[in-house]
Coordinates of all heavy atoms in Angstrom, one line a residue:
T135 N 17.2 68.2 -83.4 CA 17.6 68.7 -84.7 C 18.8 67.9 -85.3 O 18.8 67.8 -86.6 CB 18.0 70.2 -84.6 OG1 18.9 70.4 -83.7 CG2 16.7 70.9 -84.3
A136 N 19.6 67.3 -84.6 CA 20.6 66.5 -85.1 C 20.1 65.2 -85.8 O 20.6 64.8 -86.9 CB 21.6 66.1 -84.0
R137 N 19.1 64.7 -85.2 CA 18.5 63.5 -85.8 C 17.4 63.9 -86.8 O 17.3 63.1 -87.8 CB 17.8 62.6 -84.7 CG 17.5 61.3 -85.1 CD 16.9 60.4 -84.1 NE 17.9 60.2 -82.8 CZ 17.7 59.4 -81.9 NH1 16.5 58.7 -81.8 NH2 18.5 59.4 -80.8
W138 N 16.6 64.9 -86.5 CA 15.6 65.3 -87.5 C 15.8 66.8 -87.8 O 15.2 67.6 -87.2 CB 14.1 65.1 -86.9 CG 14.0 63.5 -86.5 CD1 13.6 62.6 -87.4 CD2 14.0 63.0 -85.3 NE1 13.5 61.4 -86.8 CE2 13.7 61.5 -85.4 CE3 14.3 63.4 -84.0 CZ2 13.7 60.7 -84.4 CZ3 14.3 62.6 -82.9 CH2 14.0 61.2 -83.1
P139 N 16.6 67.1 -88.9 CA 16.9 68.4 -89.1 C 15.7 69.2 -89.7 O 15.7 70.4 -89.9 CB 18.0 68.4 -90.2 CG 17.9 67.0 -90.8 CD 17.4 66.1 -89.6
Q140 N 14.6 68.4 -89.9 CA 13.3 69.1 -90.3 C 12.9 70.1 -89.3 O 12.0 70.9 -89.6 CB 12.3 68.0 -90.7 CG 12.6 67.0 -91.7 CD 13.3 65.8 -91.2 OE1 14.0 65.8 -90.2 NE2 13.0 64.6 -91.8
F141 N 13.2 69.9 -88.1 CA 12.7 70.7 -86.9 C 13.7 71.9 -86.8 O 14.8 71.8 -87.0 CB 12.7 70.0 -85.6 CG 11.6 69.0 -85.4 CD1 11.8 67.7 -85.6 CD2 10.3 69.5 -85.1 CE1 10.7 66.8 -85.4 CE2 9.3 68.6 -85.0 CZ 9.5 67.3 -85.2
R142 N 13.1 73.1 -86.4 CA 13.8 74.3 -86.2 C 13.5 74.6 -84.7 O 12.3 75.1 -84.3 CB 13.4 75.4 -87.1 CG 14.1 76.7 -86.7 CD 13.6 77.9 -87.6 NE 13.9 77.6 -89.1 CZ 13.2 78.3 -90.0 NH1 12.3 79.2 -89.7 NH2 13.5 78.1 -91.3
L143 N 14.4 74.4 -83.8 CA 14.2 74.7 -82.4 C 15.0 75.9 -81.8 O 16.0 76.1 -82.3 CB 14.5 73.4 -81.5 CG 13.6 72.2 -82.1 CD1 13.9 70.9 -81.2 CD2 12.1 72.4 -82.0
G144 N 14.5 76.5 -80.7 CA 15.2 77.6 -80.1 C 16.2 77.3 -79.1 O 17.0 78.1 -78.7
G145 N 16.1 76.0 -78.5 CA 17.1 75.7 -77.4 C 16.4 75.4 -76.2 O 17.0 74.8 -75.3
S146 N 15.2 76.0 -76.0 CA 14.6 75.8 -74.6 C 13.6 74.5 -74.6 O 12.9 74.3 -73.6 CB 13.6 76.9 -74.3 OG 12.6 77.2 -75.2
E147 N 13.7 73.7 -75.7 CA 12.9 72.6 -75.8 C 13.5 71.3 -75.2 O 14.8 71.2 -75.3 CB 12.5 72.2 -77.3 CG 11.8 73.4 -78.0 CD 12.6 74.4 -78.5 OE1 14.0 74.3 -78.4 OE2 12.2 75.4 -79.2
Q148 N 12.7 70.5 -74.6 CA 13.0 69.1 -74.2 C 12.1 68.2 -75.0 O 11.0 68.5 -75.4 CB 12.8 68.9 -72.8 CG 13.7 69.8 -71.9 CD 13.4 69.6 -70.4 OE1 12.5 68.8 -70.1 NE2 14.1 70.3 -69.6
A149 N 12.6 66.9 -75.2 CA 11.9 66.0 -76.0 C 12.1 64.5 -75.4 O 13.0 64.3 -74.8 CB 12.3 66.0 -77.4
L150 N 11.1 63.8 -75.7 CA 11.1 62.3 -75.3 C 10.8 61.6 -76.6 O 9.7 61.9 -77.3 CB 10.0 62.0 -74.2 CG 10.2 62.6 -72.8 CD1 9.0 62.4 -71.9 CD2 11.5 62.1 -72.2
Y151 N 11.5 60.6 -76.9 CA 11.3 59.8 -78.1 C 10.9 58.3 -77.7 O 11.6 57.8 -76.8 CB 12.6 59.8 -78.9 CG 12.5 58.9 -80.2 CD1 11.7 59.3 -81.3 CD2 13.2 57.7 -80.3 CE1 11.6 58.5 -82.4 CE2 13.1 56.8 -81.4 CZ 12.3 57.3 -82.5 OH 12.1 56.4 -83.6
Q152 N 9.9 57.8 -78.4 CA 9.5 56.4 -78.1 C 9.4 55.7 -79.5 O 8.6 56.0 -80.3 CB 8.1 56.4 -77.4 CG 7.9 55.2 -76.5 CD 7.8 53.8 -77.2 OE1 7.1 53.8 -78.1 NE2 8.5 52.8 -76.7
R153 N 10.2 54.7 -79.6 CA 10.4 54.2 -81.0 C 9.2 53.4 -81.6 O 9.1 53.3 -82.8 CB 11.8 53.3 -81.1 CG 11.6 52.1 -80.2 CD 12.9 51.3 -80.3 NE 12.8 50.1 -79.5 CZ 12.3 48.9 -79.8 NH1 11.7 48.8 -81.1 NH2 12.2 47.9 -79.0
K154 N 8.4 52.9 -80.7 CA 7.2 52.1 -81.3 C 5.9 52.9 -81.5 O 5.0 52.5 -81.9 CB 6.9 50.9 -80.2 CG 8.0 49.9 -80.1 CD 7.7 48.7 -79.2 CE 6.5 47.9 -79.8 NZ 6.9 47.1 -81.0
S155 N 6.1 54.2 -81.2 CA 4.9 55.1 -81.6 C 4.8 55.1 -83.1 O 5.6 54.7 -83.8 CB 5.2 56.5 -81.1 OG 5.4 56.6 -79.7

Side-chain angles (χ1 to χ4, degrees):
T135 55
R137 191 177 304 182
W138 298 282
Q140 299 93 324
F141 286 103
R142 179 188 294 164
L143 303 181
S146 63
E147 299 86 0
Q148 298 178 359
L150 297 171
Y151 176 71
Q152 213 287 316
R153 64 182 179 83
K154 292 182 70 65
S155 297

